[in-house]
Amino acid sequence: MQLAIPQAPRSVPLSKVPGAIPRLVRVGGVGLAVMAALGVGASLLGRFVVEEQAFLSRAEELEGQVAAMTLPPRDEREGAEARLEVIYAVGKVQYSASGVRTRAEYAEGLGPGARVRLLVDPQVPDRPREADYVRSRARTLGLVPWGLALGGLVAVGLFGRELRRTLRAELEPLRKGMLVWLTPEGPLPEARREVLFPASYWKQDQKHAVRARLRPGGAPVRNGEKVLAAVLSSLPGEARVIDEALARALGWVR
């Protein structure tokens, strides 16, 4: 095979690099799927925050009485929850509710007959909540919109960076890289997926070790036991192997 490779920078359209567009589509598809999943999670979390705020706006504060409680083991109470069974009245109607969540550290100081402050939604009077527990959690939930916004920005940034990294890995070595003859450290691996293998090349009497990237099914351009590859100073330690199909697609073969 006789090569006629132009000097850098070379014109390398993405559409002429075999496998580049499917690879970019896969990266984009995975990124969009992850962002969609994050969007669904953010939507559910946002709905929960809205419902909590709506409850606080409707709820009335009442006094209840502890009938019983369930506490976690003593050595597990820090930051844990306890469950209360309470008796309270809404107007002239008396209610009893169990499973009312509160902080375990707070519940330690309570006993049967102790007074507790409850928040009761007039629309659902049989589901009270312990007031201090709900309000302290509401203060934390107030940070959720900021967290969602920051998380969205981070996700978009990571997605854009991954797309740019993929484009750069596909094109930059071919456009601007130095072409060298690599000496693989062993027989080239055969696989249906992209493979990496250790190799080295010489430049100005210095030996440089790299990890060479060979696309699946590619037959490298060879010179005896050596294979042609592109290396880029901004990607030290990496090399892109030039296979015969790629050389022909780019017009690098006479």
Side-chain angles (χ1 to χ4, degrees):
M1 176 180 287
Q2 292 185 337
L3 300 174
I5 302 176
Q7 296 292 325
R10 310 173 188 92
S11 175
V12 182
L14 182 67
S15 60
K16 289 190 176 182
V17 180
I21 291 180
R23 180 186 178 94
L24 194 64
V25 169
R26 285 196 300 271
V27 171
V30 171
L32 290 175
V34 171
M35 292 182 67
L38 291 175
V40 171
S43 176
L44 294 174
L45 184 56
R47 185 182 305 172
F48 173 75
V49 172
V50 170
E51 290 175 352
E52 288 292 294
Q53 291 175 341
F55 168 81
L56 287 171
S57 66
R58 294 191 307 265
E60 298 177 357
E61 185 171 327
L62 302 173
E63 187 176 78
Q65 186 175 3
V66 176
M69 70 180 66
T70 302
L71 287 166
R74 188 173 296 276
D75 57 349
E76 299 177 8
R77 292 180 184 175
E78 186 175 354
E81 293 181 351
R83 297 290 193 276
L84 302 178
E85 182 178 340
V86 296
I87 300 171
Y88 61 100
V90 179
K92 296 181 180 181
V93 181
Q94 191 171 47
Y95 291 88
S96 174
S98 59
V100 178
R101 293 188 296 175
T102 188
R103 294 179 297 107
E105 296 96 326
Y106 169 68
E108 283 180 328
L110 302 177
R115 300 290 180 176
V116 291
R117 305 301 299 176
L118 303 174
L119 291 177
V120 179
D121 185 346
Q123 299 178 9
V124 192
D126 59 342
R127 295 183 183 176
R129 303 188 193 182
E130 197 272 309
D132 288 342
Y133 176 79
V134 173
R135 286 169 176 156
S136 63
R137 191 173 67 169
R139 286 191 289 271
T140 302
L141 291 177
L143 300 175
V144 167
W146 297 101
L148 291 177
L150 179 60
L153 290 175
V154 170
V156 170
L158 290 176
F159 180 43
R161 189 184 71 173
E162 186 62 21
L163 282 178
R164 194 178 79 167
R165 188 194 68 80
T166 301
L167 279 171
R168 186 182 181 195
E170 292 291 343
L171 297 180
E172 288 302 294
L174 302 176
R175 287 177 174 172
K176 302 177 182 178
M178 178 180 67
L179 299 179
V180 298
W181 291 105
L182 292 181
T183 303
E185 292 188 3
L188 293 185
E190 295 183 4
R192 295 182 179 179
R193 302 177 61 184
E194 182 179 87
V195 295
L196 295 173
F197 61 91
S200 60
Y201 68 93
W202 289 87
K203 178 184 177 183
Q204 297 178 350
D205 296 330
Q206 287 188 339
K207 186 177 181 180
H208 300 269
V210 295
R211 289 192 315 158
R213 181 163 65 93
L214 175 63
R215 73 183 186 90
V221 176
R222 289 183 175 272
N223 181 10
E225 296 299 320
K226 300 179 184 296
V227 297
L228 184 64
V231 295
L232 198 62
S233 59
S234 59
L235 297 172
E238 298 183 19
R240 162 90 186 239
V241 176
I242 310 299
D243 58 64
E244 295 179 4
L246 176 59
R248 289 193 175 93
L250 296 177
W252 292 357
V253 179
R254 291 179 180 172

